Structure formats: structure tokens, C-alpha cells
Coordinates of all heavy atoms in Angstrom, one line a residue:
Y649 N 2.4 11.9 16.3 CA 2.2 10.5 15.8 C 2.9 9.5 16.7 O 3.9 9.9 17.4 CB 2.7 10.4 14.3 CG 1.6 11.0 13.4 CD1 1.6 12.3 13.2 CD2 0.7 10.2 12.9 CE1 0.6 12.9 12.3 CE2 -0.3 10.7 12.0 CZ -0.3 12.0 11.8 OH -1.3 12.5 11.0
C650 N 2.5 8.3 16.6 CA 3.0 7.2 17.5 C 4.3 6.6 17.1 O 4.6 5.5 17.5 CB 2.0 6.2 17.8 SG 0.5 6.8 18.7
F651 N 5.1 7.2 16.2 CA 6.3 6.6 15.8 C 7.5 7.1 16.6 O 7.4 8.2 17.2 CB 6.6 6.8 14.3 CG 5.5 6.1 13.5 CD1 4.5 6.9 12.9 CD2 5.4 4.7 13.4 CE1 3.5 6.2 12.2 CE2 4.5 4.1 12.7 CZ 3.5 4.9 12.1
G652 N 8.5 6.4 16.7 CA 9.7 6.8 17.5 C 9.9 6.1 18.8 O 11.0 6.2 19.3
S653 N 8.9 5.5 19.3 CA 9.1 4.7 20.6 C 9.6 3.3 20.2 O 9.5 2.9 19.1 CB 7.9 4.6 21.4 OG 7.1 3.6 21.0
K654 N 10.1 2.6 21.2 CA 10.6 1.3 21.0 C 9.5 0.3 20.6 O 9.8 -0.8 20.1 CB 11.4 0.8 22.2 CG 10.6 0.6 23.4 CD 11.5 0.1 24.5 CE 10.7 0.0 25.8 NZ 11.5 -0.4 27.0
F655 N 8.3 0.7 20.9 CA 7.2 -0.2 20.5 C 6.6 0.0 19.1 O 5.8 -0.7 18.7 CB 6.0 0.0 21.5 CG 6.4 -0.2 23.0 CD1 6.5 0.9 23.8 CD2 6.8 -1.5 23.4 CE1 6.9 0.7 25.1 CE2 7.2 -1.6 24.7 CZ 7.3 -0.5 25.6
S656 N 7.1 1.0 18.5 CA 6.5 1.4 17.2 C 7.0 0.5 16.0 O 8.2 0.3 15.9 CB 6.8 2.9 16.9 OG 6.2 3.7 17.8
R657 N 6.0 0.2 15.2 CA 6.3 -0.5 13.9 C 5.4 0.3 12.9 O 4.4 0.7 13.2 CB 5.9 -1.9 14.0 CG 6.8 -2.8 14.8 CD 6.3 -4.2 14.9 NE 5.6 -4.7 13.7 CZ 5.6 -5.9 13.3 NH1 6.2 -6.8 14.0 NH2 5.0 -6.3 12.2
P658 N 5.9 0.3 11.7 CA 5.1 1.1 10.7 C 3.7 0.5 10.4 O 2.8 1.2 9.9 CB 6.0 1.0 9.4 CG 7.1 0.2 9.7 CD 7.1 -0.2 11.2
D659 N 3.5 -0.8 10.7 CA 2.3 -1.4 10.4 C 1.3 -1.4 11.6 O 0.2 -2.1 11.6 CB 2.5 -2.9 9.9 CG 3.2 -3.7 10.9 OD1 3.8 -3.2 11.8 OD2 3.3 -5.0 10.7
R660 N 1.6 -0.7 12.7 CA 0.7 -0.6 13.8 C -0.6 0.1 13.4 O -0.6 1.0 12.5 CB 1.3 0.1 15.0 CG 1.7 1.5 14.8 CD 2.3 2.2 16.0 NE 1.3 2.4 17.0 CZ 1.6 2.6 18.3 NH1 2.9 2.7 18.7 NH2 0.6 2.8 19.1
F661 N -1.7 -0.2 14.0 CA -3.0 0.4 13.7 C -3.1 1.8 14.2 O -3.5 2.7 13.5 CB -4.2 -0.4 14.3 CG -4.4 -1.7 13.6 CD1 -4.1 -2.9 14.2 CD2 -4.9 -1.7 12.3 CE1 -4.3 -4.1 13.5 CE2 -5.1 -2.9 11.6 CZ -4.8 -4.1 12.3
N662 N -2.9 1.9 15.5 CA -3.0 3.2 16.2 C -1.8 4.1 15.9 O -0.7 3.8 16.3 CB -3.2 3.1 17.7 CG -3.3 4.4 18.4 OD1 -3.6 5.4 17.8 ND2 -3.0 4.4 19.7
K663 N -2.0 5.2 15.1 CA -0.9 6.0 14.7 C -0.9 7.4 15.4 O 0.0 8.1 15.3 CB -0.9 6.2 13.2 CG -0.6 4.9 12.5 CD -0.7 5.1 11.0 CE -0.2 3.9 10.2 NZ -0.6 2.6 10.6
K664 N -2.0 7.7 16.2 CA -2.0 9.0 16.9 C -2.7 9.1 18.2 O -2.6 10.2 18.8 CB -2.6 10.0 15.9 CG -4.0 9.7 15.6 CD -4.5 10.8 14.6 CE -6.0 10.6 14.4 NZ -6.5 11.6 13.5
I665 N -3.4 8.1 18.6 CA -4.2 8.2 19.9 C -3.4 7.9 21.1 O -2.9 6.7 21.2 CB -5.5 7.3 19.8 CG1 -6.3 7.5 18.5 CG2 -6.4 7.5 21.0 CD1 -7.0 8.8 18.4
Q666 N -3.3 8.8 22.0 CA -2.6 8.5 23.3 C -1.3 7.7 23.2 O -1.1 6.7 23.8 CB -3.6 7.8 24.3 CG -4.8 8.6 24.6 CD -5.8 7.8 25.4 OE1 -5.5 6.9 26.1 NE2 -7.1 8.2 25.4
C667 N -0.4 8.2 22.3 CA 0.8 7.5 22.0 C 1.7 7.2 23.2 O 2.5 6.3 23.1 CB 1.6 8.3 20.9 SG 0.6 8.5 19.4
D668 N 1.6 8.0 24.2 CA 2.5 7.8 25.4 C 2.0 6.7 26.3 O 2.7 6.3 27.2 CB 2.6 9.1 26.1 CG 1.3 9.7 26.6 OD1 0.2 9.4 25.9 OD2 1.2 10.3 27.6
Q669 N 0.8 6.1 26.0 CA 0.3 5.0 26.8 C 0.6 3.7 26.2 O 0.6 3.5 25.0 CB -1.3 5.2 26.9 CG -1.7 6.5 27.5 CD -1.2 6.7 28.9 OE1 -1.3 5.8 29.8 NE2 -0.7 7.9 29.2
K670 N 0.8 2.7 27.1 CA 1.1 1.3 26.6 C -0.2 0.7 26.0 O -0.2 -0.2 25.1 CB 1.6 0.5 27.7 CG 2.3 -0.7 27.2 CD 3.4 -1.2 28.1 CE 4.1 -2.4 27.4 NZ 5.1 -2.9 28.1
K671 N -1.4 1.1 26.6 CA -2.7 0.6 26.1 C -3.7 1.7 26.1 O -3.7 2.4 27.1 CB -3.1 -0.5 27.0 CG -4.4 -1.2 26.5 CD -5.1 -2.1 27.6 CE -4.2 -3.1 28.2 NZ -5.0 -4.0 29.1
V672 N -4.5 1.9 25.1 CA -5.5 2.9 25.1 C -6.8 2.2 25.6 O -7.3 1.3 25.0 CB -5.8 3.4 23.6 CG1 -7.0 4.4 23.6 CG2 -4.6 4.0 23.1
K673 N -7.2 2.7 26.7 CA -8.4 2.2 27.4 C -9.2 3.4 27.9 O -8.7 4.2 28.6 CB -8.0 1.3 28.5 CG -9.2 0.7 29.3 CD -8.7 -0.2 30.4 CE -9.8 -0.7 31.2 NZ -9.3 -1.6 32.4
D674 N -10.5 3.4 27.5 CA -11.3 4.5 28.0 C -12.5 3.9 28.8 O -13.1 2.9 28.4 CB -11.9 5.3 26.8 CG -10.8 6.0 26.0 OD1 -10.3 6.9 26.6 OD2 -10.5 5.5 24.9
I675 N -12.8 4.5 29.9 CA -13.9 4.1 30.7 C -14.9 5.2 30.7 O -14.6 6.3 31.0 CB -13.4 3.8 32.2 CG1 -12.5 2.6 32.2 CG2 -14.6 3.4 33.1 CD1 -11.8 2.3 33.5
M676 N -16.1 4.8 30.4 CA -17.2 5.8 30.5 C -18.3 5.3 31.4 O -18.6 4.1 31.4 CB -17.8 6.1 29.1 CG -16.7 6.6 28.1 SD -17.4 7.4 26.7 CE -18.0 8.9 27.5
F677 N -18.9 6.1 32.1 CA -20.0 5.7 33.0 C -21.3 5.9 32.2 O -21.5 6.7 31.3 CB -20.0 6.6 34.2 CG -18.7 6.3 35.0 CD1 -17.6 7.2 35.0 CD2 -18.6 5.2 35.8 CE1 -16.5 7.0 35.6 CE2 -17.4 4.9 36.4 CZ -16.3 5.8 36.4
K678 N -22.3 5.0 32.6 CA -23.6 5.0 31.9 C -24.2 6.3 31.8 O -24.7 6.7 30.8 CB -24.5 4.0 32.6 CG -24.2 2.6 32.4 CD -25.2 1.7 33.2 CE -24.9 0.3 33.1 NZ -25.9 -0.5 33.9
D679 N -24.1 7.1 32.9 CA -24.8 8.4 32.9 C -24.1 9.4 31.9 O -24.6 10.4 31.6 CB -24.9 8.9 34.3 CG -23.6 9.1 35.0 OD1 -22.7 8.3 34.7 OD2 -23.5 10.1 35.7
E680 N -22.8 9.1 31.5 CA -22.1 10.0 30.6 C -22.5 9.7 29.1 O -22.4 10.6 28.3 CB -20.6 9.8 30.7 CG -20.0 10.2 32.0 CD -18.5 9.9 32.0 OE1 -18.1 8.8 31.7 OE2 -17.8 10.8 32.4
V681 N -23.0 8.5 28.9 CA -23.3 8.1 27.5 C -24.6 8.8 27.0 O -24.7 9.3 25.9 CB -23.5 6.6 27.4 CG1 -24.0 6.2 26.0 CG2 -22.2 5.9 27.7
G682 N -25.6 9.0 27.9 CA -26.8 9.7 27.5 C -27.6 8.9 26.5 O -27.5 7.7 26.5
E683 N -28.4 9.6 25.7 CA -29.3 8.9 24.8 C -28.5 8.2 23.7 O -28.9 7.1 23.3 CB -30.2 9.9 24.1 CG -31.4 10.3 25.0 CD -32.3 11.3 24.3 OE1 -32.3 11.2 23.0 OE2 -33.0 12.0 25.0
K684 N -27.5 8.8 23.1 CA -26.8 8.2 22.0 C -25.4 8.7 21.9 O -25.1 9.9 22.0 CB -27.5 8.5 20.7 CG -26.9 7.9 19.5 CD -27.7 8.3 18.2 CE -27.0 7.9 17.0 NZ -27.6 8.4 15.8
K685 N -24.4 7.8 21.6 CA -23.0 8.1 21.4 C -22.5 7.2 20.3 O -22.8 6.0 20.3 CB -22.2 8.0 22.6 CG -22.4 9.1 23.7 CD -21.7 10.3 23.4 CE -21.7 11.4 24.4 NZ -22.9 11.7 25.1
S686 N -21.6 7.7 19.5 CA -20.9 6.9 18.5 C -19.4 6.8 18.9 O -18.8 7.9 19.0 CB -21.0 7.5 17.1 OG -22.4 7.5 16.7
F687 N -18.9 5.6 19.0 CA -17.5 5.5 19.4 C -16.6 5.0 18.3 O -17.0 4.1 17.5 CB -17.4 4.4 20.6 CG -18.0 4.9 21.8 CD1 -19.3 4.6 22.1 CD2 -17.3 5.7 22.7 CE1 -19.9 5.1 23.3 CE2 -17.9 6.2 23.9 CZ -19.2 5.9 24.2
C688 N -15.5 5.6 18.1 CA -14.6 5.3 17.0 C -13.9 3.9 17.1 O -13.5 3.5 18.2 CB -13.5 6.4 17.0 SG -12.3 6.2 15.7
R689 N -13.9 3.3 15.9 CA -13.2 2.0 15.8 C -12.1 2.0 14.8 O -11.5 1.0 14.5 CB -14.2 0.9 15.5 CG -15.1 0.6 16.6 CD -15.9 -0.7 16.4 NE -16.7 -0.6 15.2 CZ -17.6 -1.6 14.8 NH1 -17.6 -2.7 15.5 NH2 -18.3 -1.4 13.8
C690 N -11.9 3.2 14.2 CA -10.9 3.3 13.1 C -9.6 3.9 13.5 O -8.6 3.9 12.7 CB -11.5 4.0 11.9 SG -11.6 5.8 12.1
W691 N -9.5 4.4 14.7 CA -8.3 5.1 15.2 C -8.0 6.4 14.5 O -6.9 6.9 14.7 CB -7.1 4.1 15.2 CG -7.2 2.9 16.0 CD1 -7.7 1.7 15.6 CD2 -7.0 2.8 17.4 NE1 -7.7 0.8 16.6 CE2 -7.3 1.5 17.8 CE3 -6.5 3.7 18.4 CZ2 -7.2 1.0 19.1 CZ3 -6.4 3.2 19.7 CH2 -6.7 1.9 20.0
L692 N -8.9 6.9 13.8 CA -8.5 8.2 13.0 C -9.2 9.4 13.6 O -8.9 10.5 13.2 CB -8.9 8.0 11.6 CG -8.2 6.9 10.8 CD1 -8.8 6.7 9.4 CD2 -6.7 7.2 10.7
S693 N -10.2 9.2 14.5 CA -10.9 10.4 15.0 C -10.1 11.4 15.7 O -9.2 11.1 16.5 CB -12.0 9.9 16.0 OG -12.7 11.0 16.5
E694 N -10.4 12.7 15.5 CA -9.8 13.8 16.3 C -10.5 14.0 17.6 O -10.1 14.8 18.4 CB -9.8 15.0 15.4 CG -9.1 15.0 14.1 CD -7.6 14.9 14.3 OE1 -7.0 15.3 15.4 OE2 -6.9 14.3 13.4
K695 N -11.6 13.3 17.8 CA -12.4 13.5 19.0 C -12.5 12.1 19.8 O -13.5 11.8 20.4 CB -13.8 13.9 18.7 CG -13.9 15.3 18.1 CD -15.3 15.7 17.7 CE -15.3 17.1 17.1 NZ -16.6 17.5 16.7
W696 N -11.4 11.4 19.7 CA -11.4 10.1 20.4 C -11.8 10.2 21.9 O -11.5 11.2 22.5 CB -9.9 9.6 20.4 CG -9.8 8.2 21.0 CD1 -9.5 7.9 22.3 CD2 -9.9 7.0 20.3 NE1 -9.4 6.6 22.5 CE2 -9.7 6.0 21.3 CE3 -10.2 6.7 19.0 CZ2 -9.8 4.6 21.0 CZ3 -10.3 5.3 18.7 CH2 -10.1 4.3 19.7
P697 N -12.7 9.3 22.4 CA -13.1 8.0 21.8 C -14.3 8.1 20.9 O -14.8 7.1 20.5 CB -13.3 7.2 23.1 CG -13.9 8.1 24.1 CD -13.1 9.4 23.8
Y698 N -14.7 9.3 20.6 CA -16.0 9.4 19.8 C -15.6 9.5 18.3 O -14.6 9.9 17.9 CB -16.7 10.7 20.2 CG -17.1 10.8 21.6 CD1 -16.4 11.7 22.5 CD2 -18.0 9.9 22.2 CE1 -16.7 11.8 23.8 CE2 -18.3 10.0 23.5 CZ -17.7 10.9 24.4 OH -18.0 10.9 25.7
C699 N -16.6 9.0 17.5 CA -16.4 9.1 16.1 C -16.6 10.5 15.6 O -17.6 11.2 16.1 CB -17.5 8.2 15.5 SG -17.7 8.3 13.7
D700 N -15.8 11.0 14.7 CA -16.0 12.3 14.2 C -16.2 12.2 12.6 O -16.2 13.3 12.0 CB -14.8 13.2 14.5 CG -13.6 12.8 13.7 OD1 -13.5 11.8 13.1 OD2 -12.6 13.6 13.8
G701 N -16.4 11.0 12.1 CA -16.7 10.9 10.7 C -15.5 10.6 9.9 O -15.5 10.4 8.7
S702 N -14.3 10.6 10.5 CA -13.0 10.4 9.7 C -13.0 9.1 9.0 O -12.3 8.9 8.0 CB -11.8 10.5 10.7 OG -11.7 11.8 11.2
H703 N -13.7 8.1 9.5 CA -13.7 6.8 8.8 C -14.2 6.9 7.4 O -13.8 6.1 6.5 CB -14.6 5.8 9.6 CG -16.0 6.2 9.8 ND1 -16.5 7.0 10.8 CD2 -17.1 6.0 8.9 CE1 -17.8 7.2 10.6 NE2 -18.1 6.6 9.5
S704 N -15.1 7.8 7.1 CA -15.7 8.0 5.8 C -14.6 8.3 4.8 O -14.6 7.7 3.7 CB -16.7 9.1 5.7 OG -17.8 8.8 6.6
K705 N -13.7 9.2 5.1 CA -12.6 9.6 4.2 C -11.7 8.4 3.9 O -11.3 8.2 2.8 CB -11.9 10.8 4.9 CG -10.8 11.4 4.0 CD -10.2 12.6 4.7 CE -9.0 13.1 3.9 NZ -8.3 14.2 4.6
W706 N -11.4 7.7 5.0 CA -10.6 6.5 4.9 C -11.2 5.5 4.0 O -10.6 4.9 3.1 CB -10.3 5.9 6.3 CG -9.6 4.6 6.2 CD1 -10.2 3.4 6.3 CD2 -8.2 4.4 6.0 NE1 -9.3 2.4 6.2 CE2 -8.0 3.0 6.1 CE3 -7.1 5.2 5.9 CZ2 -6.8 2.4 5.9 CZ3 -5.9 4.6 5.7 CH2 -5.7 3.2 5.7
N707 N -12.5 5.2 4.2 CA -13.2 4.2 3.4 C -13.3 4.6 1.9 O -13.1 3.7 1.1 CB -14.7 4.1 4.0 CG -14.7 3.4 5.3 OD1 -13.8 2.8 5.7 ND2 -15.9 3.4 5.9
K708 N -13.5 5.9 1.7 CA -13.5 6.3 0.3 C -12.1 6.2 -0.4 O -12.0 5.7 -1.5 CB -13.9 7.8 0.3 CG -14.8 8.2 -0.9 CD -15.2 9.6 -0.8 CE -16.6 9.7 -0.2 NZ -17.1 11.1 -0.1
L709 N -11.1 6.4 0.4 CA -9.7 6.3 -0.1 C -9.3 4.9 -0.4 O -8.6 4.6 -1.3 CB -8.8 7.0 0.9 CG -7.4 7.4 0.5 CD1 -7.5 8.6 -0.5 CD2 -6.6 7.9 1.7
T710 N -9.7 4.0 0.5 CA -9.1 2.6 0.5 C -10.1 1.5 0.1 O -9.7 0.4 -0.1 CB -8.6 2.3 1.9 OG1 -9.7 2.3 2.8 CG2 -7.6 3.2 2.4
G711 N -11.4 1.8 0.1 CA -12.4 0.8 -0.2 C -12.7 0.0 1.1 O -13.4 -1.0 1.0
D712 N -12.2 0.4 2.2 CA -12.5 -0.2 3.5 C -13.9 0.0 3.9 O -14.7 0.8 3.2 CB -11.5 0.4 4.5 CG -11.1 -0.7 5.5 OD1 -11.8 -1.7 5.8 OD2 -10.0 -0.5 6.1
N713 N -14.4 -0.6 5.0 CA -15.8 -0.5 5.4 C -15.8 -0.2 6.9 O -16.7 -0.7 7.6 CB -16.6 -1.7 5.0 CG -16.1 -3.0 5.7 OD1 -15.0 -3.0 6.4 ND2 -16.8 -4.0 5.6
L714 N -14.9 0.6 7.4 CA -14.9 0.9 8.9 C -16.0 1.8 9.3 O -16.5 2.6 8.5 CB -13.5 1.5 9.2 CG -12.3 0.8 8.9 CD1 -11.1 1.6 9.3 CD2 -12.3 -0.6 9.5
G715 N -16.4 1.7 10.5 CA -17.5 2.5 11.1 C -17.5 2.4 12.6 O -16.8 1.6 13.2
P716 N -18.3 3.3 13.3 CA -18.3 3.4 14.7 C -19.2 2.3 15.4 O -19.9 1.6 14.7 CB -18.9 4.8 15.0 CG -19.8 4.9 13.8 CD -19.2 4.3 12.6
V717 N -19.0 2.2 16.7 CA -20.0 1.5 17.5 C -21.0 2.6 18.0 O -20.6 3.6 18.6 CB -19.3 0.9 18.8 CG1 -20.4 0.3 19.7 CG2 -18.3 -0.2 18.4
V718 N -22.2 2.4 17.8 CA -23.3 3.3 18.2 C -24.0 2.8 19.4 O -24.5 1.6 19.3 CB -24.3 3.6 17.1 CG1 -25.4 4.6 17.6 CG2 -23.6 4.2 15.9
V719 N -24.0 3.5 20.5 CA -24.7 3.1 21.7 C -25.9 4.0 21.9 O -25.7 5.2 21.9 CB -23.7 3.2 23.0 CG1 -24.5 2.8 24.2 CG2 -22.5 2.3 22.8
R720 N -27.0 3.4 22.0 CA -28.3 4.2 22.1 C -29.3 3.4 22.9 O -29.2 2.2 23.1 CB -28.8 4.6 20.8 CG -29.2 3.4 19.9 CD -29.9 3.9 18.6 NE -30.2 2.9 17.7 CZ -31.4 2.2 17.8 NH1 -32.2 2.4 18.8 NH2 -31.6 1.2 16.9
E721 N -30.4 4.1 23.2 CA -31.5 3.4 23.8 C -32.2 2.5 22.8 O -32.1 2.8 21.6 CB -32.5 4.5 24.3 CG -32.0 5.4 25.4 CD -31.9 4.7 26.7 OE1 -32.6 3.7 27.0 OE2 -31.1 5.1 27.6
R722 N -32.7 1.4 23.3 CA -33.5 0.5 22.5 C -34.8 1.2 22.0 O -35.4 1.9 22.8 CB -33.8 -0.7 23.3 CG -33.8 -2.0 22.6 CD -34.2 -3.1 23.6 NE -33.0 -3.7 24.3 CZ -32.3 -4.6 23.8 NH1 -32.5 -5.2 22.6 NH2 -31.3 -5.1 24.5
D723 N -35.2 0.9 20.8 CA -36.5 1.4 20.3 C -37.6 0.7 21.1 O -37.5 -0.5 21.3 CB -36.7 1.1 18.8 CG -35.8 1.9 18.0 OD1 -35.4 3.0 18.4 OD2 -35.4 1.5 16.9
T724 N -38.6 1.5 21.5 CA -39.7 0.8 22.3 C -41.0 0.7 21.5 O -41.1 1.3 20.5 CB -40.0 1.6 23.6 OG1 -40.2 2.9 23.3 CG2 -38.8 1.4 24.6
Ligands
FES275 FE1 -13.4 6.4 13.6 FE2 -15.7 7.1 12.8 S1 -14.0 8.3 13.1 S2 -15.1 5.2 13.4

């Protein structure tokens, strides 16, 4: 977990992703994305930067409405 560093506050959003980095930034190339990918926006995924469905549990618990960014081909 991301607590214990001088930058940590209990109200921070990111509590577990790349805690040793000052900024979490992922670069993906177009050819890596393929037909469809879902990217996490809740900071809870175990498969970061991809969504693993963890947002559903959080939403159920808190009444929140978090969800992923889905990148896919346009319907033709
Ligand atoms: Fe984070 Fe789905 S797990 S948005």
C-alpha cells in the first residue's frame, strides 16, 4: 500500500498502484490496444492499467458509479 512515504495522506486516491513512483503514467502503443481494451479509472484493479471489474465491488459497497474507459473500434 502507498502509505508511509512523505507524500502519503490518508485521503489520497491511489492506495496501491506503483507506490514508489511520483506519478503513475502508462504509455500504450496503438498496436498494443488491439480491438478492445478497458482501462481502470478507480485505482482498485489488480491488473492495472486494465480494468478487472474491481470497481463493481466498490460501487456496490459505497453507492459510487465508477467504471473503466473502454477503447474499441468504431461500429461501422
Ligand atoms: Fe477500476 Fe474497473 S477495476 S475501473
Side-chain angles (χ1 to χ4, degrees):
Y649 283 85
C650 292
F651 296 107
S653 84
K654 64 181 178 182
F655 305 110
S656 295
R657 289 176 33 149
D659 56 347
R660 64 180 288 164
F661 289 110
N662 178 20
K663 294 179 172 42
K664 66 180 186 180
I665 310 287
Q666 299 175 21
C667 297
D668 56 332
Q669 303 297 315
K670 198 153 183 177
K671 183 193 312 186
V672 177
K673 178 180 178 182
D674 296 289
I675 296 173
M676 300 199 73
F677 297 100
K678 288 179 180 178
D679 61 325
E680 291 177 313
V681 174
E683 280 183 25
K684 181 182 171 185
K685 288 279 188 315
S686 297
F687 293 92
C688 179
R689 291 192 295 184
C690 74
W691 297 95
L692 298 171
S693 177
E694 297 293 334
K695 296 180 178 173
W696 185 268
Y698 303 110
C699 170
D700 70 351
S702 295
H703 61 270
S704 299
K705 189 176 172 187
W706 171 262
N707 288 347
K708 219 176 260 180
L709 198 67
T710 63
D712 214 334
N713 64 350
L714 303 178
V717 174
V718 178
V719 179
R720 64 175 177 81
E721 294 288 335
R722 217 180 271 275
D723 291 333
T724 54

